[in-house]
Amino acid sequence: MSLQDFLSSLDGLVADAADAFQAATDTDSLEEARVRFLGQKSGALRDIQKQMGSIEASDRKTAGMRLNQTKNAIQTAFGEAKDRLGQADQGGIDPTFDPSLPGVRPELGHVHPITQTIEHLMEIMGRMGFEAAEGPEVEDPWHNFVALNIPEDHPARDPLDNFYLATASKGADLGGEGSQLLRSQTSTVQIRVMENRQPPIRVISLGRVYRPDAPDATHFPMFHQMEGLFVDRHVTMANLKTVLRVFAENYLGTDVDIRFRPSFFPFTEPSVEVDFYWNGTWVEFGGAGMVDPNVFEAVGYDPEQYSGFAFGLGVERLCMRRHGITDIRDLYSGDLRFLRQF
Ligand code: DAH
């Protein structure tokens, strides 16, 4: 065989092998093609190699070199085809991925029980015509105390009973006029609403309040209140009791009774503690009363023309009673085993 013929059959072989590998659609057909071209016993390359003996001795070196190059080229083409099929088989996915294993569900967050309670309370009060109002959590003594008829020397203003802000204390004495504090009650929002609007007023305010209490089962330094304010002509204590009764029946269930006990708050006169009778016991949920004329005067309302009631209920207390939660700290521990139950 001439070197010329030998070399041209090698060239033809590379092209044929590349076509065959390209055409293979699965590992079986690829393997078939591999055996056809590279097979040790009867592969096409092997057959050509057998012709080497018939080539002129002086041309054999060239023939051998080209034979090796051809073999390498075919092997490279085979390797590429194998990679291509391998990737297609696995869809490009990590071969250790096992689609038969049960999946890992992504953890979905949900609304915190206190936020759920707040939404529920807003919805119930909204049906009675109360709209939501908001105020800042960092307050000044005017809104937290003075306008609410809590005078300078009142023990409720004691720095030991409030979170005054250190920055504000630099220029002013703690609790003094220029100081700032985390609001200790949502009654502040009553003042903010009345300063900006004229009666009739029917608002609730749901938000955080802060007091330096040591945490235990029933105390936490941050908690929530639902404040209510109703101002119009001829508003009476009977209106207050009706609103609170309807509220309690809606939130806790139909068999709820309500009781007022005489009490004192600087911003209401008369003032009462509000108890609900539910599941066999009386439980105190907050305070209420008729807005004190001094408060109306502080915001520029004429107490001869208007009267109103106000109330402040503990949101945690409501939430805990309804759901049978016995320790307020559970609400703020961030423990998912607890939170997942709501
Ligand atoms: N602000 C009171 C407190 O934090 C609760 C309260 C009592 C609010 C009587 C009122 C009210 O609006 O009329 O303990």
Side-chain angles (χ1 to χ4, degrees):
M1 191 186 215
S2 75
L3 179 64
Q4 228 15 275
D5 289 345
F6 182 78
L7 293 184
S8 66
S9 45
L10 283 182
D11 288 341
L13 198 60
V14 173
D16 290 347
D19 286 346
F21 295 152
Q22 200 76 65
T25 51
D26 54 37
T27 40
D28 284 349
S29 53
L30 180 64
E31 176 60 13
E32 224 172 76
R34 187 192 69 81
V35 170
R36 186 141 43 91
F37 290 94
L38 295 169
Q40 283 301 313
K41 280 192 190 132
S42 58
L45 191 69
R46 184 83 191 162
D47 288 344
I48 294 180
Q49 193 180 356
K50 283 180 190 153
Q51 312 288 325
M52 287 272 284
S54 64
I55 288 174
E56 289 281 344
S58 59
D59 287 329
R60 271 198 212 137
K61 196 175 164 201
T62 312
M65 246 170 53
R66 291 292 300 276
L67 183 82
N68 273 338
Q69 282 171 1
T70 303
K71 189 174 176 183
N72 288 339
I74 296 176
Q75 272 171 345
T76 302
F78 171 74
E80 283 167 2
K82 195 174 159 186
D83 285 349
R84 171 176 59 82
L85 284 181
Q87 274 171 18
D89 273 355
Q90 295 153 12
I93 287 171
D94 179 351
T96 59
F97 174 70
D98 180 351
S100 67
L101 287 176
V104 181
R105 240 173 229 282
E107 181 99 36
L108 284 187
H110 71 283
V111 175
H112 190 275
I114 285 298
T115 311
Q116 290 180 31
T117 303
I118 286 173
E119 285 169 0
H120 191 181
L121 300 180
M122 287 210 276
E123 190 257 322
I124 293 172
M125 295 307 292
R127 277 190 263 142
M128 285 193 273
F130 286 78
E131 58 176 304
E134 276 189 62
E137 289 177 26
V138 173
E139 267 295 5
D140 51 52
W142 167 261
H143 292 95
N144 202 83
F145 301 123
V146 181
L148 287 164
N149 200 30
I150 304 174
E152 188 90 49
D153 55 355
H154 195 280
R157 297 178 65 157
D158 193 321
L160 291 177
D161 291 327
N162 293 282
F163 285 113
Y164 286 97
L165 300 195
T167 47
S169 73
K170 287 201 179 101
D173 54 327
L174 278 191
E177 221 167 283
S179 56
Q180 285 184 303
L181 73 159
L182 297 180
R183 68 180 177 195
S184 62
Q185 51 185 354
T186 46
S187 304
T188 54
V189 185
Q190 291 185 31
I191 303 303
R192 290 193 174 271
V193 168
M194 289 190 285
E195 280 175 336
N196 291 304
R197 293 201 227 165
Q198 291 301 308
I201 286 188
R202 209 188 284 195
V203 293
I204 48 163
S205 184
L206 281 139
R208 296 187 186 95
V209 299
Y210 301 85
R211 292 179 195 174
D213 290 330
D216 63 23
T218 54
H219 294 86
F220 207 73
M222 182 283 298
F223 58 100
H224 296 72
Q225 290 185 327
M226 175 168 75
E227 191 80 16
L229 176 68
F230 191 126
V231 183
D232 205 341
R233 294 174 203 273
H234 316 302
V235 178
T236 69
M237 203 89 173
N239 300 138
L240 167 64
K241 204 164 189 177
T242 303
V243 165
L244 287 177
R245 179 195 295 279
V246 172
F247 161 73
E249 283 170 354
N250 274 277
Y251 184 68
L252 294 170
T254 43
D255 48 349
V256 178
D257 211 349
I258 184 169
R259 173 172 85 178
F260 282 175
R261 280 177 297 116
S263 185
F264 175 80
F265 298 101
F267 34 90
T268 43
E269 183 57 37
S271 302
V272 294
E273 307 275 354
V274 181
D275 298 343
F276 296 134
Y277 187 80
W278 188 63
N279 278 359
T281 39
W282 286 102
V283 185
E284 188 198 317
F285 280 94
M290 301 305 292
V291 179
D292 192 291
N294 287 342
V295 174
F296 281 149
E297 267 160 20
V299 297
Y301 283 7
D302 180 0
E304 297 298 325
Q305 275 197 60
Y306 296 110
S307 58
F309 66 74
F311 60 85
L313 307 183
V315 173
E316 278 77 1
R317 221 174 256 197
L318 287 162
C319 170
M320 287 166 72
R321 277 282 149 181
R322 190 168 195 269
H323 296 290
I325 300 167
T326 52
D327 193 323
I328 189 174
R329 291 168 295 189
D330 286 337
L331 286 167
Y332 299 114
S333 66
D335 189 335
L336 290 178
R337 293 169 302 177
F338 172 81
L339 292 173
R340 278 198 192 101
Q341 300 174 68
F342 299 92

